[in-house]
Amino acid sequence: MPVPHPHPVLAAVVAALLFALANVVQRRAAAAVPRSTGGAVQLGWRLLRSPRWLLGSSFAVAGMLLQMLALTDGSLVVVQSVLVSGVVVAVILDAGGDRRRPTWPEIFGPILVVAGVVLLVVAGPAPGGDGGTGAAIAGLIVVAVVGGGALVAARRPHAGDWTARLLGGAAGTCFALDALFLKELVAGLGEGRTAVVVVGVAGFVLASVLGNLTLHRGYQLAPLRVVLPTLTGAEPVAAFLLGWVVLQEGLPGGWPGHVGAVLGVVAAVTGNAVVALAEVPDRQPEPEPERVPEQVAA
């Protein structure tokens, strides 16, 4: 089975590291905003004035530029699956920020994710074409329904971890569609198709805004270890379906390639589920130093 050209994969690996840094920094910025602030719009306004969140956004922008480079010559499902491998770095960094060691599920789950990504890269889905303006418009509708529906569900008064997981899954779907619009945009610019470029820009902006709003609303409700695994579980599945149905990305090598790709997606999703459902102990407060009573002078 042929292996994809290394440049898209390398660009995707570096982008995955940058997105991992962005997720950790932005999650801590979102968690610092009190829930009494209001809904997703008020949260976004507060974050726009947070230096920590802006630092994380700079990492995300750099990662997006590398993602665009990777999508120019690479398959949508391969690039997006490599990007989710950043969950390994994100979980380790988040555990270090909480001053604790990663638990066994937090170690074993990311290993499954990486194994699934490797299977997908080896299976090597060939880069497909583009779906045209009609597919981009359909993507706009899906983004609005998924992202908007998740934000409405998050307004429930007793929203907790499961709502945060729902928001993570919606964000992952939005980001997969975001990559689809990005690929359509690059193709439209290269071929001078104005309609595809316009719809691609509109879809990219809408998917980015709704994806980030749902993601940060999830970060406000629960720790990164709850939100990020469902995000990285939904993204490769959505990218796989979009690449197969919309872009008609083929799997060379006959049935071994198909089996490898399916096993890769299953391993990536299972690894994220292991992390998402694991019970992780909260950080214990550091003990205060024992006070020695002062001796009274005679």
Side-chain angles (χ1 to χ4, degrees), residues 4 13-14 27 89 103 122 124 135 138 143 152 161 164 168 183 189 192-193 205 210 225 227 232 235-236 242 274 281:
V13 168
V14 179
R27 200 283 297 178
V89 179
T103 62
V122 172
V143 164
V152 170
D161 284 1
K183 195 172 180 68
L189 287 172
R193 291 182 294 169
V205 172
L210 286 178
R225 64 178 179 269
V227 181
T232 53
E235 190 168 351
L242 289 170
V274 168

Short mmCIF file of all heavy atoms in Angstrom, two decimals, residues 4 13-14 27 89 103 122 124 135 138 143 152 161 164 168 183 189 192-193 205 210 225 227 232 235-236 242 274 281:
data_model
loop_
_atom_site.label_atom_id
_atom_site.label_comp_id
_atom_site.label_asym_id
_atom_site.label_seq_id
_atom_site.Cartn_x
_atom_site.Cartn_y
_atom_site.Cartn_z
N PRO A 4 1.48 8.16 1.72
CA PRO A 4 1.35 9.49 1.17
C PRO A 4 2.69 10.23 1.17
O PRO A 4 3.61 9.89 1.91
CB PRO A 4 0.36 10.17 2.13
CG PRO A 4 -0.32 9.07 2.84
CD PRO A 4 0.61 7.92 2.87
N VAL A 13 1.83 17.07 11.37
CA VAL A 13 2.39 16.73 12.68
C VAL A 13 2.74 18.00 13.45
O VAL A 13 2.41 18.14 14.64
CB VAL A 13 3.62 15.82 12.52
CG1 VAL A 13 4.37 15.71 13.84
CG2 VAL A 13 3.21 14.43 12.05
N VAL A 14 3.42 18.94 12.79
CA VAL A 14 3.79 20.19 13.46
C VAL A 14 2.53 20.98 13.83
O VAL A 14 2.43 21.57 14.91
CB VAL A 14 4.72 21.03 12.57
CG1 VAL A 14 5.08 22.35 13.26
CG2 VAL A 14 5.99 20.26 12.24
N ARG A 27 -7.91 26.43 27.10
CA ARG A 27 -8.79 25.79 28.08
C ARG A 27 -8.64 26.44 29.45
O ARG A 27 -9.61 26.72 30.15
CB ARG A 27 -8.48 24.29 28.16
CG ARG A 27 -9.59 23.45 28.75
CD ARG A 27 -9.72 23.51 30.25
NE ARG A 27 -8.56 23.00 30.95
CZ ARG A 27 -8.43 23.00 32.28
NH1 ARG A 27 -9.38 23.50 33.04
NH2 ARG A 27 -7.34 22.53 32.84
N VAL A 89 0.01 15.15 23.40
CA VAL A 89 0.74 16.28 23.97
C VAL A 89 -0.17 17.09 24.89
O VAL A 89 0.24 17.51 25.98
CB VAL A 89 1.30 17.17 22.85
CG1 VAL A 89 2.05 18.36 23.42
CG2 VAL A 89 2.22 16.36 21.94
N THR A 103 -2.77 9.45 34.38
CA THR A 103 -3.22 8.13 34.79
C THR A 103 -3.03 7.14 33.63
O THR A 103 -2.76 7.54 32.50
CB THR A 103 -4.70 8.18 35.19
OG1 THR A 103 -5.48 8.56 34.04
CG2 THR A 103 -4.93 9.18 36.31
N VAL A 122 -0.82 4.89 6.83
CA VAL A 122 -0.32 3.79 6.02
C VAL A 122 -1.35 3.38 4.97
O VAL A 122 -1.01 3.05 3.82
CB VAL A 122 0.07 2.59 6.91
CG1 VAL A 122 0.39 1.37 6.07
CG2 VAL A 122 1.26 2.96 7.80
N GLY A 124 -3.33 5.29 3.52
CA GLY A 124 -3.08 6.27 2.48
C GLY A 124 -4.24 6.60 1.57
O GLY A 124 -4.15 6.39 0.36
N ALA A 135 -21.88 21.28 -2.53
CA ALA A 135 -21.41 20.60 -1.32
C ALA A 135 -21.03 21.60 -0.24
O ALA A 135 -21.28 21.36 0.96
CB ALA A 135 -20.21 19.72 -1.66
N ALA A 138 -24.22 22.84 1.39
CA ALA A 138 -24.72 21.80 2.30
C ALA A 138 -23.91 21.77 3.59
O ALA A 138 -24.46 21.59 4.69
CB ALA A 138 -24.68 20.44 1.61
N VAL A 143 -23.07 22.77 9.52
CA VAL A 143 -22.35 23.51 10.56
C VAL A 143 -23.32 24.28 11.44
O VAL A 143 -23.23 24.27 12.67
CB VAL A 143 -21.32 24.47 9.93
CG1 VAL A 143 -20.85 25.51 10.94
CG2 VAL A 143 -20.12 23.69 9.42
N VAL A 152 -27.29 25.61 22.09
CA VAL A 152 -28.61 25.67 22.73
C VAL A 152 -28.69 24.66 23.87
O VAL A 152 -29.19 24.96 24.97
CB VAL A 152 -29.72 25.42 21.70
CG1 VAL A 152 -31.07 25.24 22.40
CG2 VAL A 152 -29.80 26.57 20.71
N ASP A 161 -20.63 17.51 32.76
CA ASP A 161 -19.62 16.84 31.97
C ASP A 161 -20.17 16.29 30.66
O ASP A 161 -19.51 16.38 29.61
CB ASP A 161 -18.99 15.70 32.77
CG ASP A 161 -18.00 16.22 33.81
OD1 ASP A 161 -17.84 17.45 33.91
OD2 ASP A 161 -17.40 15.40 34.53
N ALA A 164 -20.60 18.92 28.25
CA ALA A 164 -19.29 19.33 27.76
C ALA A 164 -18.78 18.35 26.71
O ALA A 164 -18.15 18.75 25.72
CB ALA A 164 -18.30 19.42 28.93
N GLY A 168 -17.83 19.10 22.86
CA GLY A 168 -16.58 18.68 22.24
C GLY A 168 -16.81 17.94 20.93
O GLY A 168 -16.11 18.17 19.94
N LYS A 183 -10.07 23.30 2.32
CA LYS A 183 -9.62 22.60 1.11
C LYS A 183 -10.35 23.12 -0.13
O LYS A 183 -9.75 23.30 -1.19
CB LYS A 183 -9.85 21.10 1.27
CG LYS A 183 -9.12 20.23 0.25
CD LYS A 183 -9.24 18.77 0.59
CE LYS A 183 -8.50 17.90 -0.41
NZ LYS A 183 -7.04 18.07 -0.36
N LEU A 189 -9.19 29.00 -5.17
CA LEU A 189 -8.19 30.03 -5.45
C LEU A 189 -7.25 29.58 -6.57
O LEU A 189 -6.88 30.38 -7.44
CB LEU A 189 -7.38 30.35 -4.19
CG LEU A 189 -8.11 31.15 -3.10
CD1 LEU A 189 -7.25 31.22 -1.85
CD2 LEU A 189 -8.44 32.56 -3.59
N GLY A 192 -9.32 29.72 -9.85
CA GLY A 192 -10.01 30.96 -10.17
C GLY A 192 -11.52 30.86 -10.16
O GLY A 192 -12.20 31.56 -10.91
N ARG A 193 -12.10 30.00 -9.33
CA ARG A 193 -13.56 29.86 -9.26
C ARG A 193 -14.09 30.73 -8.12
O ARG A 193 -13.98 30.39 -6.95
CB ARG A 193 -13.94 28.39 -9.06
CG ARG A 193 -13.63 27.52 -10.28
CD ARG A 193 -14.07 26.09 -10.06
NE ARG A 193 -13.29 25.45 -9.03
CZ ARG A 193 -13.58 24.27 -8.49
NH1 ARG A 193 -14.67 23.63 -8.87
NH2 ARG A 193 -12.81 23.74 -7.58
N VAL A 205 -15.38 30.68 7.95
CA VAL A 205 -15.61 31.61 9.06
C VAL A 205 -16.68 31.07 10.00
O VAL A 205 -16.51 31.06 11.23
CB VAL A 205 -16.01 33.00 8.52
CG1 VAL A 205 -16.46 33.91 9.66
CG2 VAL A 205 -14.83 33.63 7.77
N LEU A 210 -18.33 28.87 15.17
CA LEU A 210 -19.15 27.94 15.93
C LEU A 210 -18.31 26.86 16.59
O LEU A 210 -18.59 26.44 17.73
CB LEU A 210 -20.20 27.30 15.02
CG LEU A 210 -21.37 28.20 14.61
CD1 LEU A 210 -22.30 27.47 13.66
CD2 LEU A 210 -22.13 28.68 15.84
N ARG A 225 -9.54 17.21 29.90
CA ARG A 225 -9.54 15.75 29.72
C ARG A 225 -10.94 15.22 29.43
O ARG A 225 -11.10 14.09 28.96
CB ARG A 225 -8.98 15.08 30.98
CG ARG A 225 -9.80 15.29 32.23
CD ARG A 225 -9.22 14.55 33.43
NE ARG A 225 -10.00 14.77 34.63
CZ ARG A 225 -9.78 15.73 35.51
NH1 ARG A 225 -8.79 16.58 35.30
NH2 ARG A 225 -10.52 15.86 36.59
N VAL A 227 -13.38 17.28 27.62
CA VAL A 227 -13.82 17.87 26.36
C VAL A 227 -12.97 17.43 25.18
O VAL A 227 -13.49 17.03 24.13
CB VAL A 227 -13.80 19.41 26.46
CG1 VAL A 227 -14.29 20.04 25.16
CG2 VAL A 227 -14.65 19.87 27.63
N THR A 232 -11.54 15.15 19.64
CA THR A 232 -10.63 14.43 18.76
C THR A 232 -11.17 13.07 18.34
O THR A 232 -10.61 12.43 17.45
CB THR A 232 -9.26 14.24 19.45
OG1 THR A 232 -9.45 13.63 20.73
CG2 THR A 232 -8.56 15.57 19.63
N GLU A 235 -13.73 14.34 15.27
CA GLU A 235 -13.11 14.96 14.10
C GLU A 235 -12.66 13.95 13.04
O GLU A 235 -12.97 14.14 11.85
CB GLU A 235 -11.95 15.85 14.54
CG GLU A 235 -11.41 16.71 13.43
CD GLU A 235 -10.47 17.79 13.93
OE1 GLU A 235 -10.36 17.98 15.16
OE2 GLU A 235 -9.84 18.44 13.08
N PRO A 236 -11.93 12.86 13.38
CA PRO A 236 -11.53 11.94 12.33
C PRO A 236 -12.71 11.20 11.68
O PRO A 236 -12.68 10.90 10.49
CB PRO A 236 -10.58 10.96 13.03
CG PRO A 236 -10.92 11.05 14.46
CD PRO A 236 -11.36 12.46 14.68
N LEU A 242 -16.63 12.86 5.31
CA LEU A 242 -16.59 13.96 4.35
C LEU A 242 -15.65 13.63 3.19
O LEU A 242 -15.96 13.91 2.02
CB LEU A 242 -16.13 15.25 5.04
CG LEU A 242 -17.13 15.89 6.01
CD1 LEU A 242 -16.46 17.00 6.80
CD2 LEU A 242 -18.34 16.42 5.26
N VAL A 274 -11.54 6.08 25.89
CA VAL A 274 -10.85 5.62 27.10
C VAL A 274 -10.49 6.80 27.99
O VAL A 274 -10.68 6.80 29.21
CB VAL A 274 -9.59 4.82 26.72
CG1 VAL A 274 -8.70 4.59 27.95
CG2 VAL A 274 -9.98 3.48 26.12
N PRO A 281 -8.32 11.71 39.27
CA PRO A 281 -8.39 12.40 40.56
C PRO A 281 -8.11 13.88 40.41
O PRO A 281 -7.30 14.31 39.59
CB PRO A 281 -7.28 11.72 41.39
CG PRO A 281 -6.34 11.17 40.38
CD PRO A 281 -7.17 10.78 39.20
#
